[in-house]
């Protein structure tokens, strides 16, 4: 059907099943979480469904053009994405059903005590982009 963006949220979505903030996880829990993410991406690379993913740093700046010869404004009236979005993954799949299936798998990444996080992921198709994979 299209390429999809899977957004991982810090806030703004319903609470995860295992709703313990990552800054309270033990180092081995963080390592297991990151390994799950890498393994998930590697599996999708093999099927041709993986495009890219990134975890986002908490630093960020708002910037807006404010007219010729004026410095850009660097603060905004909205919640900052550094407070909302933890990271993202782009997938290229042949159907919406497959995108939902993969989002569900990604939501099962391990968190505190090794239990699945069960976080809500925002699944958004790219506007006007067809899949590049074939069956």
């Amino acid at each position: 059907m299209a390429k999809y963006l899977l957004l991982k949220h810090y806030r703004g979505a319903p609470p995860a099943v295992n709703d313990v903030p990552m800054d309270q996880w033990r180092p081995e829990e963080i390592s297991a979480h990151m390994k799950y993410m890498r393994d998930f991406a590697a599996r999708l690379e093999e099927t041709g469904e993986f495009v890219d993913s990134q975890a986002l740093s908490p630093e960020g700046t708002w910037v807006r053009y404010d007219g010729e010869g004026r410095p850009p404004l660097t603060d905004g009236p909205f919640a900052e994405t550094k407070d909302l979005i933890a990271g993202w993954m782009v997938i290229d799949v042949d159907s919406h059903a497959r995108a939902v299936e993969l989002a569900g798998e990604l939501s099962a990444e391990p968190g505190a005590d090794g239990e699945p996080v069960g976080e809500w992921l925002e699944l958004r198709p790219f506007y006007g982009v067809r899949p590049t994979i074939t069956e």
Side-chain angles (χ1 to χ4, degrees):
M1 199 165 132
K3 288 184 179 174
Y4 286 85
L5 175 65
L6 300 170
L7 282 173
K8 297 173 66 60
H9 289 269
Y10 283 124
R11 293 191 301 230
V17 174
N18 185 354
D19 196 25
V20 178
M22 188 180 252
D23 63 0
Q24 296 176 21
W25 296 0
R26 296 185 308 271
E28 60 272 16
E29 294 168 341
I30 294 171
S31 294
H33 179 85
M34 299 308 291
K35 181 180 182 327
Y36 183 97
M37 299 289 292
R38 285 190 304 273
D39 291 349
F40 183 81
R43 186 167 51 84
L44 295 185
E45 282 178 342
E46 291 176 11
T47 64
E49 296 172 306
F50 178 80
V51 176
D52 195 16
S53 68
Q54 295 293 323
L56 297 175
S57 167
E59 295 83 24
T61 304
W62 283 92
V63 177
R64 182 187 83 189
Y65 173 76
D66 199 35
E68 190 66 35
R70 299 177 68 181
L73 299 179
T74 58
D75 196 10
F78 309 107
E80 296 191 47
T81 57
K82 68 183 179 186
D83 294 331
L84 300 174
I85 300 172
W88 50 267
M89 179 177 284
V90 176
I91 57 175
D92 185 6
V93 294
D94 60 2
S95 69
H96 181 260
R98 178 66 175 152
V100 170
E101 176 185 351
L102 292 175
E105 285 185 45
L106 186 57
S107 174
E109 69 229 347
D113 297 323
E115 295 296 317
V117 173
E119 68 182 331
W120 289 90
L121 298 174
E122 186 176 352
L123 177 64
R124 299 199 46 199
F126 281 31
Y127 181 76
V129 178
R130 306 295 303 166
T132 56
I133 65 167
T134 58
E135 293 185 49

